[in-house]
Amino acid sequence: MTIGARVLKTGLAVAFAMFLSNFFGFDSPVIAAVASIFTIQPSIYRSWQQVLDQVQSNMLGAAVALGAVQLIGSGPIAIGIVCVAVILINIRLKMEGAIGLTLVTVVAVMEAHSQGWPFALERFLMVMTGMGAAFFVNVLLFPPRPKRQFTLQVHEAHRKLSLLLRTAISNEIKEQVYREEKDALHGTLRKLDERFTLFEEERAVRPRKKLERARQLLVSKQMIKALQKGADLLDVVEEHYFSAPGAEEWAGRFDRQIEELTKYHEHILLKSEGKMKPGVQIEPEEEREERFVRQLTDYLEEDPALHKRLIFVASSLFEYGYHLRRLEKLLDQVRERERPQKVSESEL
């Protein structure tokens, strides 16, 4: 088990919030510590957005709590009614993510009001201190790097996919191991979608950076698409290939085609990182693929109804290859458009 950056930052944020509470002389550091836990987010953009929502929601919650104390008191039933009202207000304002911490503020302010307004204000300031501590830690210590994390997860997903695809037709892996690896692949793909969302949320300030980032997002989205099509090919092979009559005689040819595509996929990822030599041909040979298509077409024409399961496998295989070629084309287009900018910068 490894300790991730977010786990470590949560601990640091709690410690920093408690330190600030003691520094400012607050009565108890617990509220600040709780506020810091709610504010930690997996990206700088989300952290900033969370702070903005939390500040607005908590100020509104504190105002409602203070007003409610004057009208209905600060008993348990009154606090419960105010909590319900604050939840509805947050939902109405589309600030659902701030509900938890706002309720902490409401309870703290209403519970402390019996000891006077200064004490209630102090409770509100505790919440603000915890939020500030969490934002400081999230931005300045181990700042999130969604692009780098996305790249690492793409390579991890491809590694798992490549292993499964290379052994899918030959059926060499034990069933239990295959299931575990496949579940791990789908888990990585889900994480990759989440990481792409974080990457997509990040904002660029300069116009040139915005354009560059838009291109990166386009390529990244296609990377996920290609991985997903590879995972779909696994599902189709599992469902249709082994049930297709006469599939054994096609095992070698399907296996070679999949082997070429997985190798092609690997080379594309290396190319995206600038690790391939310029001008190297990485796309599979067209003649071999065309020969495979002709042979498969002739075989299917003999008895389409009997061999239709192989049609499903071949269709998924070609779609995987199509999205790989589309990914390489996007990479080439992005490089062509970025090259003039790099040349102009070097001249300056």
Side-chain angles (χ1 to χ4, degrees), residues 177-343:
V177 177
Y178 177 85
R179 291 298 170 196
E180 291 174 354
E181 290 292 330
K182 191 175 180 182
D183 290 342
L185 170 64
H186 285 293
T188 304
L189 290 176
R190 286 193 296 270
K191 292 179 181 177
L192 199 56
D193 284 331
E194 295 170 2
R195 188 64 59 186
F196 177 78
T197 301
L198 295 177
F199 184 28
E200 192 176 29
E201 288 176 350
E202 293 296 315
R203 296 293 182 263
V205 179
R206 291 182 293 176
R208 187 176 65 83
K209 285 293 183 181
K210 288 182 180 180
L211 185 59
E212 179 181 336
R213 188 175 164 282
R215 292 169 181 160
Q216 290 174 350
L217 285 173
L218 190 63
V219 171
S220 299
K221 189 173 183 179
Q222 184 60 29
M223 284 182 174
I224 296 177
K225 189 74 171 179
L227 288 168
Q228 187 59 59
K229 291 302 177 182
D232 291 343
L233 174 57
L234 274 177
D235 294 334
V236 173
V237 169
E238 182 179 355
E239 183 176 359
H240 294 289
Y241 180 79
F242 297 105
S243 301
E248 297 81 5
E249 63 182 283
W250 284 89
R253 280 170 280 194
F254 269 105
D255 201 37
R256 282 192 295 272
Q257 289 298 122
I258 293 176
E259 176 76 22
E260 285 194 356
L261 289 181
T262 54
K263 183 179 179 181
Y264 181 37
H265 198 164
E266 180 181 6
H267 286 173
I268 291 174
L269 295 182
L270 291 174
K271 185 177 182 179
S272 69
E273 296 180 336
K275 294 181 179 179
M276 296 290 291
K277 293 180 179 179
V280 174
Q281 179 66 30
I282 64 175
E283 186 177 349
E285 295 181 11
E286 290 186 6
E287 292 184 3
R288 182 181 298 177
E289 184 171 314
E290 290 175 358
R291 185 167 60 252
F292 173 75
V293 172
R294 286 196 301 269
Q295 292 172 348
L296 184 61
T297 302
D298 294 340
Y299 179 73
L300 296 176
E301 286 179 349
E302 294 177 4
D303 193 340
L306 183 64
H307 302 147
K308 64 181 178 181
R309 285 183 178 269
L310 287 182
I311 297 177
F312 299 144
V313 180
S315 176
S316 184
L317 179 69
F318 295 144
E319 188 171 8
Y320 178 42
Y322 165 78
H323 283 281
L324 289 179
R325 291 181 174 87
R326 188 164 185 264
L327 175 58
E328 186 189 13
K329 186 179 295 185
L330 280 174
L331 282 171
D332 291 339
Q333 291 174 351
V334 168
R335 286 196 170 191
E336 285 296 324
R337 292 175 181 177
E338 289 181 350
R339 186 176 295 122
Q341 295 178 354
K342 293 180 179 179
V343 171

Side-chain angles (χ1 to χ4, degrees), residues 9-10 12-21 24 32-33 35-37 39-40 47 51 125-141:
K9 287 194 293 185
T10 300
L12 291 173
V14 169
F16 188 44
M18 297 181 73
F19 170 79
L20 289 178
S21 296
F24 291 130
S36 66
I37 295 172
T39 309
I40 286 291
S47 184
V51 167
L125 292 177
M126 287 181 187
V127 175
M128 295 296 107
T129 299
M131 291 169 52
F135 183 74
F136 176 85
V137 169
N138 203 40
V139 172
L140 297 183
L141 299 179

Side-chain angles (χ1 to χ4, degrees), residues 68-69 71-84 106 110:
V69 167
L71 296 175
I72 59 177
S74 57
I77 296 179
I79 293 176
I81 293 174
V82 173
C83 286
V84 172
V106 169
M110 293 188 72

